[in-house]
Amino acid sequence: MIRQFKITAFLCCVISIASAQEINKIPLPENLEQGYPRIYITQSEKKSLQKTIKKEAWAKEVLSGIHNRIDKHVERHISNPEWMVSRLMMYWKTKATNVYVNGIYYSHADGEAPVPTVRFTGSRDHTTNYVMPDLEDILPYMDDERGLYLRNKTKEGRPLEWVEQSKTGGIIHRHNQKLLGLARDAAFLYWFEDKEPFAKFAFDIFDTYMMGMYYRNAPKDLMNGHIQTLVGMECFQVIHESSLKIASELYDFLHQYIEQNYPDKIKIYDATIKKWNHQIIKNGVPQNNWNLHQAKIILKAAMVLQSDENYEDGKGREYYINYILNVTSPRQWSLTKLLDYGYDKDNGVWAECPGYSFGVTNDVMRFVYDFDNTFNHNILPYLPVMEKAVKVLPQYLFPNRQTIAFGDSYYGSLRTDAISDIIRIAQKNNNTELEKEFTEMYRLFTEASNQSNRKRKPKADISSFFASKPLVLNKKYGTAKLEDYITQTFYAPNVSWHVQRMGQGKNGMMVSLNGSLGNHMHANGINMELYGKGFVQGADPGKGAGYLQPIYLEYYSQFPAHNTVMVDGASSYTEMLSYHAFDLIGEYPKSEQKDGYYSDITYSNVYFLEPETRSDQTRLVSIVKTGEETGYYIDIFRSKKQRKGDKFHDYYYHNLGQTMKVMDVKGNPLKLTQSEEMGFAGGHLYALDYMWDKKSLKTNKDYQVEWKIDFEDGKDDVFMNLWMKGTQGREVFSIKSPPNKAFKGNHGLPYQVDKQPYLTFVARQHGAAWEKPFVSVYEPFTTSKGKSIKSISSFEDENGNKEFAGLNISHKSGRQDIVFSSANHKKVKYKDIATDATYMVIANEENDDWVIFVGNGKEVTAKGYTISATTYGNIVLKQQNGQLMLHNEVPVEIIQNSKKVKFDVGDYRVIKFK
């Protein structure tokens, strides 16, 4: 009986799982087009395209541009049909079938096919000193034991010379893609204009290439390593197998010609496409952007195949479409599983660095749009997270509308592709609610929001006829507000990222913290990006070079390249796919809270376990807004090894600017001298040897550092001032670091950021930096306005708490701020103020207005009030114009003199103390 119950329960479980999978399954499109072409357009739609080209100037320009690119080659092909074909990169003489690689480099090839076969590319690392010559200078039928005859771009005159294939990067497959692209253009022109010379040109290239790929086997890694799971048929990464995509488009337009003239070859071409698709499914990476790139190639290839019933193995068009939508295998997940894995369902953030996150969201929406256009089948309702994924994008923006750029990312404007695609999908499917919502969002982030079309010249590419039609916005829909999409704090745990922001534009303030969780991340501990006066001044460095280059692996992806703290010169861990997140201990206001809070002070407090040295690290960062155009940042970084034996802890901060000055608190330059202490020698990271001009000074006094972005005469210069508390065992360094590579273009900066040294300040604490933390105040300012802070000094806890730091900050306006920070909850005292909070700010204005801001505390005595709670929490009590305002995230009791009043949890509101 028990056994029968277990079997029944098991069957119920299996049925339940199967039912759940069926519910999540995306239905396949019906009434698939049977004729050719079918990817971009069908035969029945040809007349409509002809009318468009006749009527629209932009379409005429596109067609003319395609002719300008291809006509001369087609004309030559009539009299010399071998000229272009012979310039494909093939195994012309050896006709090799088997390709061998040695890790990321090409090794050799053997075997012999009855026809020339497709040559494999040189290396996974695309960095090379060589370039492909112009078509006229390429040796025809190049297949020589000396390698390839290429131009050396590092030598004067760029001479042609023989080079070993493994040193040619991705030149080979990119060149073949170029020639296939010409053939695709010719195939389109044949279909559109019915001129056979275009078909002959396209067919000769296509046939040579596809027959060569038919006889080629998948590469074999001699090292039996990870690369074996990544390689495609033409290059080292299946996501770069664009030749299959281009060949499929070519095949689509040329199919009628092949049916009429070479019908026996269709079976071979189809078999080649299927073999190639299988390789892409078999290899790759399922859990990140690769999966989507693979799916896009597979779908394009599937679309030119016949229906399943036409193949003995039953694997045709429907099979592959269903595969990418609903089937999961080890290295190719279904679309639904990929999105479930990668997106945070609560906030829509994709689990990669910002640059790749934007790319994935744009690619998913373009995939959905193309799918709908091609199959008349809208799959967006089956991907509910995507609306959130598009709406969360503005949370990545700094006040100057540039995107956050930690990890392998770049600073730049927010791309609106995903927003425009969701509008197109809504329009096509008559979803007015969706169209209205995203039209309003789109207008907010486009420069000319009152115009329905942004004027840009379409590329001279066949896709311009189909995929790049100008977006027409409904004039009755207005423009959204930025506040609809951004919040004062935002936390994305799936990428270990936290943001605080206040205001927009030049006088806005924002600080971003990130750990290392997800893909394309760096080994950066608790990393900080800092904004000030129109620029991301404390900027992340970017990736610097290709992912396989030493300077990326040893410097740009490592701790010293970031605004963080490194322990004993050794802090590091795996970059790229990383699993080292920080824990969010406290924040104010709550992430994504839109109202009901005090808006002039924010904070976050995070904990990070640095794994290499087993060190505890906490970073408390706060924004304090003191006026419409003024404010400052508090940064308190504590770090200690769990097993003690701390040698030193290094606080790194890099800031934009042509100059950097290290000074005492009065503005006098400190006399730093040349130092070799910070380097690889001694068992430290290689990264330190990429930095130069190192100068240092040991001091126990407070000091400040000033960076200047120097504009031409007549323009306001921009500064960042860093004040830091001095302590015993402190040593300060000025350093020149490799250039910041995260800015594409200069974004209004007056110098070449990507060419000049990134000016770096380092504070070294000899011994642990827990009881002697790095206590910093950052203030951005301009020449015309100057600094708003008059002076800063520190104080100790009168009760002797060694894990405490206190600051007195005096402002030119007369305002006085008192800052408390404690690494424990022991009660600390300074004059008539006492608290057990992690963080507290008492702000006193000259007109007797004041604020008591309590971060993660239970007890506070200040300004004649005693505030107590039963649990730790955030509390704000403000007096303004004689009125009291309170925001308490935990229940509190407030005592003044003999009066005692209890307040339940409540948003920021006026209270009466009775």
Side-chain angles (χ1 to χ4, degrees):
M1 189 70 181
I2 293 174
R3 182 179 177 183
Q4 183 180 358
F5 173 78
K6 287 183 177 179
I7 292 172
T8 303
F10 172 75
L11 289 174
C12 288
C13 183
V14 170
I15 292 169
S16 176
I17 292 170
S19 299
Q21 290 175 340
E22 196 65 29
I23 291 170
N24 293 327
K25 189 174 181 180
I26 301 174
L28 297 186
E30 299 175 352
N31 303 317
L32 296 175
E33 176 67 33
Q34 297 304 310
Y36 292 90
R38 57 172 70 153
I39 294 178
Y40 288 121
I41 194 170
T42 65
Q43 187 67 28
S44 63
E45 295 168 332
K46 182 176 180 178
K47 287 184 179 180
S48 177
L49 178 59
Q50 289 171 334
K51 288 180 181 178
T52 298
I53 292 174
K54 186 176 181 179
K55 180 181 177 183
E56 301 287 348
W58 68 266
K60 287 179 184 175
E61 287 183 18
V62 171
L63 183 63
S64 176
I66 295 172
H67 270 294
N68 290 339
R69 185 168 61 246
I70 197 67
D71 284 1
K72 60 184 178 183
H73 300 305
V74 174
E75 289 170 11
R76 184 199 304 113
H77 196 76
I78 295 171
S79 58
N80 188 357
E82 293 186 20
W83 195 93
M84 186 63 80
V85 174
S86 68
R87 280 157 173 78
L88 281 166
M89 295 294 107
M90 309 280 287
Y91 296 108
W92 288 108
K93 301 172 185 176
T94 55
K95 303 175 183 176
T97 56
N98 305 311
V99 167
Y100 302 91
V101 299
N102 220 333
I104 66 169
Y105 297 104
Y106 175 83
S107 175
H108 65 284
D110 62 20
E112 186 173 356
V115 299
T117 53
V118 177
R119 195 166 194 161
F120 196 73
T121 208
S123 173
R124 184 185 181 189
D125 185 357
H126 285 193
T127 306
T128 177
N129 293 331
Y130 299 89
V131 292
M132 185 65 71
D134 292 338
L135 286 170
E136 292 75 12
D137 297 327
I138 295 174
L139 293 181
Y141 301 112
M142 194 194 315
D143 186 10
D144 193 288
E145 61 184 13
R146 290 173 289 181
L148 276 73
Y149 199 53
L150 305 176
R151 291 200 179 278
N152 189 327
K153 63 184 179 182
T154 66
K155 295 181 179 178
E156 188 176 352
R158 309 210 320 174
L160 285 162
E161 58 187 45
W162 289 101
V163 56
E164 183 183 330
Q165 186 168 330
S166 63
K167 297 179 180 179
T168 62
I171 287 175
I172 293 171
H173 74 272
R174 289 201 301 268
H175 173 75
N176 281 340
Q177 288 168 6
K178 177 182 175 181
L179 267 57
L180 284 170
L182 293 174
R184 175 198 56 197
D185 291 349
F188 167 77
L189 291 174
Y190 160 73
W191 170 78
F192 187 70
E193 299 175 354
D194 201 24
K195 294 178 181 177
E196 190 160 333
F198 289 101
K200 179 62 175 161
F201 175 83
F203 175 79
D204 288 350
I205 294 173
F206 177 77
D207 180 65
T208 303
Y209 189 89
M210 294 298 281
M211 292 299 293
M213 190 60 83
Y214 176 78
Y215 287 102
R216 263 278 322 282
N217 296 319
K220 169 68 176 174
D221 179 19
L222 297 174
M223 298 176 69
N224 293 311
H226 175 54
I227 206 72
Q228 188 67 69
T229 69
L230 303 180
V231 289
M233 297 300 297
E234 66 169 352
C235 65
F236 283 83
Q237 298 180 178
V238 289
I239 59 169
H240 294 315
E241 299 279 79
S242 295
S243 292
L244 176 55
K245 172 179 170 290
I246 299 168
S248 299
E249 294 167 345
L250 191 168
Y251 189 32
D252 192 41
F253 285 114
L254 201 62
H255 209 283
Q256 294 179 29
Y257 176 83
I258 296 171
E259 289 175 32
Q260 295 167 11
N261 298 278
Y262 305 97
D264 293 343
K265 290 205 168 187
I266 290 176
K267 186 175 182 179
I268 292 176
Y269 300 152
D270 285 7
T272 303
I273 289 171
K274 291 173 63 173
K275 175 178 73 173
W276 211 336
N277 255 357
H278 174 72
Q279 181 71 9
I280 295 172
I281 288 172
K282 175 174 171 283
N283 279 359
V285 181
Q287 71 270 10
N288 59 36
N289 63 89
W290 276 53
N291 197 89
L292 191 61
H293 292 310
Q294 293 162 216
K296 290 191 295 183
I297 298 171
I298 295 165
L299 178 63
K300 192 76 73 169
M303 287 162 67
V304 294
L305 293 175
Q306 301 170 56
S307 296
D308 290 354
E309 63 266 20
N310 293 322
Y311 301 101
E312 289 183 8
D313 61 1
K315 297 178 181 179
R317 180 166 45 166
E318 297 89 344
Y319 171 83
Y320 289 108
I321 292 173
N322 182 61
Y323 204 103
I324 59 176
L325 293 180
N326 298 309
V327 178
T328 289
S329 52
R331 296 186 184 89
Q332 183 65 45
W333 289 354
S334 69
L335 183 59
T336 48
K337 178 171 181 178
L338 173 67
L339 301 194
D340 284 345
Y341 174 88
Y343 279 112
D344 185 311
K345 295 176 186 63
D346 294 325
N347 59 36
V349 170
W350 175 258
E352 296 194 69
C353 72
Y356 279 81
S357 181
F358 306 150
V360 167
T361 296
N362 286 325
D363 285 345
V364 172
M365 289 313 307
R366 177 47 51 135
F367 181 92
V368 175
Y369 170 66
D370 285 343
F371 200 92
D372 195 17
N373 265 4
T374 302
F375 300 117
N376 196 30
H377 184 50
N378 179 20
I379 63 173
L380 184 60
Y382 302 95
L383 310 172
V385 75
M386 290 314 301
E387 290 182 35
K388 277 187 179 179
V390 176
K391 287 192 283 189
V392 79
L393 294 176
Q395 292 280 21
Y396 288 91
L397 291 175
F398 279 101
N400 62 357
R401 298 283 185 101
Q402 285 184 8
T403 53
I404 281 167
F406 60 82
D408 296 330
S409 302
Y410 295 93
Y411 294 103
S413 300
L414 184 68
R415 287 176 56 188
T416 57
D417 308 52
I419 310 173
S420 61
D421 282 341
I422 207 168
I423 294 170
R424 288 184 172 99
I425 293 166
Q427 290 173 341
K428 182 176 181 297
N429 293 278
N430 299 314
N431 188 334
T432 55
E433 183 180 345
L434 193 68
E435 181 188 3
K436 178 180 184 296
E437 180 179 10
F438 286 94
T439 297
E440 291 173 349
M441 182 183 184
Y442 182 80
R443 289 189 192 278
L444 178 62
F445 294 106
T446 50
E447 292 180 0
S449 61
N450 61 334
Q451 298 178 10
S452 58
N453 297 322
R454 282 187 297 169
K455 302 197 174 188
R456 59 178 183 180
K457 192 174 181 180
K459 292 190 300 181
D461 188 277
I462 62 171
S463 65
S464 294
F465 293 127
F466 316 111
S468 299
K469 292 178 183 178
L471 175 65
V472 178
L473 301 179
N474 192 321
K475 293 180 180 179
K476 69 181 181 181
Y477 300 140
T479 304
K481 296 178 181 178
L482 187 60
E483 294 74 25
D484 295 337
Y485 302 100
I486 65 169
T487 50
Q488 195 147 12
T489 61
F490 181 75
Y491 177 47
N494 66 328
V495 287
S496 190
W497 167 47
H498 191 275
V499 166
Q500 302 171 55
R501 57 163 65 86
M502 288 185 194
Q504 290 298 309
K506 183 177 181 179
N507 295 313
M509 299 183 73
M510 179 164 153
V511 58
S512 171
L513 297 182
N514 68 281
S516 306
L517 181 63
N519 199 36
H520 282 279
M521 300 298 183
H522 292 176
N524 53 228
I526 310 171
N527 179 48
M528 178 175 73
E529 293 171 89
L530 200 60
Y531 179 84
K533 297 303 176 185
F535 299 96
V536 187
Q537 292 200 51
D540 221 48
K543 67 175 187 173
Y547 301 127
L548 301 172
Q549 290 296 296
I551 196 169
Y552 170 81
L553 296 169
E554 296 173 356
Y555 176 74
Y556 279 100
S557 65
Q558 298 300 312
F559 270 68
H562 298 83
N563 297 330
T564 190
V565 168
M566 181 168 73
V567 183
D568 288 354
S571 297
S572 185
Y573 44 81
T574 304
E575 75 288 332
M576 194 58 70
L577 181 56
S578 191
Y579 295 93
H580 299 283
F582 57 58
D583 296 331
L584 181 63
I585 302 171
E587 65 173 341
Y588 181 88
K590 292 177 181 177
S591 176
E592 299 186 76
Q593 185 173 347
K594 290 196 171 183
D595 50 38
Y597 58 86
Y598 175 68
S599 61
D600 286 344
I601 300 177
T602 62
Y603 89 98
S604 67
N605 188 26
V606 302
Y607 167 82
F608 182 78
L609 173 62
E610 193 281 284
E612 190 77 359
T613 62
R614 273 184 59 177
S615 294
D616 293 324
Q617 297 188 325
T618 65
R619 189 167 204 167
L620 188 149
V621 178
S622 175
I623 302 176
V624 181
K625 192 74 171 168
T626 57
E628 288 295 322
E629 299 182 3
T630 58
Y632 60 90
Y633 301 95
I634 297 283
D635 180 25
I636 301 173
F637 205 127
R638 290 180 167 89
S639 184
K640 65 177 180 179
K641 294 173 73 172
Q642 291 181 350
R643 295 190 252 188
K644 304 192 182 301
D646 306 61
K647 297 176 184 176
F648 50 82
H649 296 250
D650 291 335
Y651 177 102
Y652 287 87
Y653 181 72
H654 313 69
N655 201 91
L656 298 178
Q658 300 98 312
T659 60
M660 178 183 80
K661 296 188 295 185
V662 183
M663 305 170 288
D664 63 21
V665 293
K666 294 181 179 179
N668 301 311
L670 293 180
K671 296 180 180 179
L672 279 64
T673 57
Q674 292 293 330
S675 172
E676 295 297 325
E677 286 301 309
M678 192 168 288
F680 167 72
H684 309 138
L685 291 188
Y686 286 119
L688 299 177
D689 280 352
Y690 285 91
M691 307 164 96
W692 73 97
D693 196 14
K694 303 166 189 171
K695 299 175 183 178
S696 73
L697 173 73
K698 291 183 178 180
T699 181
N700 63 354
K701 297 180 180 179
D702 301 343
Y703 47 87
Q704 59 181 326
V705 189
E706 184 178 277
W707 289 262
K708 179 181 181 181
I709 302 174
D710 193 354
F711 286 89
E712 61 188 34
D713 292 344
K715 291 188 176 181
D716 226 5
D717 297 328
V718 173
F719 299 82
M720 180 66 78
N721 185 265
L722 161 62
W723 176 95
M724 187 174 273
K725 179 185 175 183
T727 185
Q728 291 294 328
R730 185 64 53 87
E731 185 174 7
V732 296
F733 291 79
S734 71
I735 294 175
K736 289 183 174 133
S737 297
N740 185 302
K741 298 289 188 177
F743 291 89
K744 286 187 174 180
N746 283 329
H747 296 285
L749 293 162
Y751 71 106
Q752 291 182 300
V753 177
D754 63 338
K755 299 288 193 303
Q756 299 299 314
Y758 201 12
L759 303 180
T760 306
F761 171 76
V762 180
R764 170 169 288 181
Q765 183 61 39
H766 292 274
W770 195 264
E771 295 182 355
K772 298 176 181 178
F774 302 102
V775 180
S776 308
V777 177
Y778 289 89
E779 183 186 14
F781 66 97
T782 62
T783 303
S784 61
K785 299 293 184 179
K787 290 187 282 188
S788 66
I789 294 177
K790 182 180 179 181
S791 65
I792 306 173
S793 61
S794 62
F795 60 86
E796 305 297 324
D797 169 33
E798 295 174 10
N799 293 334
N801 185 356
K802 293 183 179 180
E803 296 183 352
F804 170 81
L807 296 176
N808 272 308
I809 303 176
S810 298
H811 301 264
K812 293 177 181 177
S813 66
R815 171 174 167 147
Q816 299 285 330
D817 292 349
I818 304 170
V819 179
F820 284 54
S821 171
S822 177
N824 54 48
H825 284 295
K826 293 179 181 179
K827 195 166 185 178
V828 296
K829 184 176 183 299
Y830 174 67
K831 296 183 178 178
D832 59 349
I833 305 169
T835 185
D836 65 353
T838 299
Y839 177 59
M840 185 170 74
V841 178
I842 309 293
N844 300 286
E845 298 287 357
E846 269 200 318
N847 63 0
D848 291 332
D849 288 348
W850 49 258
V851 175
I852 302 171
F853 179 93
V854 183
N856 196 29
K858 285 199 300 185
E859 297 181 28
V860 178
T861 299
K863 308 302 295 183
Y865 291 86
T866 298
I867 307 170
S868 59
T870 56
T871 57
Y872 292 105
N874 298 322
I875 306 160
V876 180
L877 184 65
K878 178 179 179 179
Q879 177 178 285
Q880 185 174 19
N881 299 325
Q883 245 183 357
L884 279 181
M885 283 157 280
L886 173 69
H887 179 206
N888 54 312
E889 296 180 352
V890 293
V892 297
E893 180 180 78
I894 302 178
I895 301 173
Q896 184 190 35
N897 299 325
S898 60
K899 294 180 181 179
K900 183 186 298 185
V901 182
K902 293 184 178 181
F903 296 92
D904 291 332
V905 172
D907 285 347
Y908 190 55
R909 75 273 190 197
V910 175
I911 62 169
K912 292 183 178 180
F913 200 76
K914 294 182 179 179

